[in-house]
Amino acid sequence: YIENSGRNLFEGNRIAYAADPSDNVGASGMSLTTSKNIVRYNMFYYNDMAGLTMSVTRSYCQDIVYNKIYHNTFLHNYKNERGPKCGLAFAIYSGDFIIKHNSIRNNIFFGHEKPFGSYRVNLEDQIFAGNWDGDSLGDPKFVNAPSSFGDPMDPGLPDLHLKPDSPCKDKGTYLTTITSASGSGTSFMVADAGYFIDGWGIKGVQGDEIQLFQTSQKARITSVNYETGLISVNRKLNWKQGQGLSLSYKNKSPDAGAFEY
């Protein structure tokens, strides 16, 4: 099972309006129960429970580890009245499987009692960086994001692009760092290559365009070795050891959330 699951990319989706099912209590927008997945540039909103849940029971098949959840927007999830309302939830309901080492970076959360909920999961075992909790830090200022349900058949609402005066602009951080000695070339080592794809050999799918953090240097990934952390790109870059690495962005730093302004 483990060899045939995980290492998936979920990108650019609207995940919304999950409803209370007849055979259970509550429903998250998305349930992530395998490892080493990438979840990015998605919108989670108006779901019955959390927008995204990582949960496990003794009847499941593996630990939930090393997932990368970054540059997503979570809006007004947990519409039911049960439990603390959160955008992203972690839970171990039974058994000995673990939920650890998952990275949650550069996401926006708004319209929740708290961004993260936990049941028998230590949040200190996860990685958090660059996230914007609009309920404590201030309104993210989306183009059009009402708190009440809209029309589920309208793919344009809510509009979670950022307004020109959004405080979330340039508030994101890098995803990983370069561990190779300072130098230049088309290949280098990184601390964690799991944030990126090289196209995975799928026809029509390109490797990620990456950017050296807080520089204008960009390149397209041609190969990723997840075991060694070696990344190869299509043009020469000049780097320093310890320098941050992001997906490409437009201004001083990446914006938080699913959309670059």
Side-chain angles (χ1 to χ4, degrees), residues 75-97:
L75 172 74
H76 292 299
N77 293 286
Y78 234 115
K79 301 299 284 187
N80 70 41
E81 297 303 320
R82 297 182 295 271
K85 301 179 186 299
C86 62
L88 194 158
F90 305 82
I92 298 175
Y93 293 114
S94 63
D96 298 323
F97 290 119

Side-chain angles (χ1 to χ4, degrees), residues 138-168:
D139 188 342
K141 297 190 177 180
F142 299 121
V143 169
N144 187 1
S147 61
S148 58
F149 286 131
D151 178 2
M153 303 308 293
D154 186 343
L157 291 175
D159 186 343
L160 301 183
H161 288 81
L162 303 177
K163 291 181 178 179
D165 60 344
S166 170
C168 297

Side-chain angles (χ1 to χ4, degrees), residues 115 133-138:
D133 177 11
D135 298 294
S136 62
L137 298 175

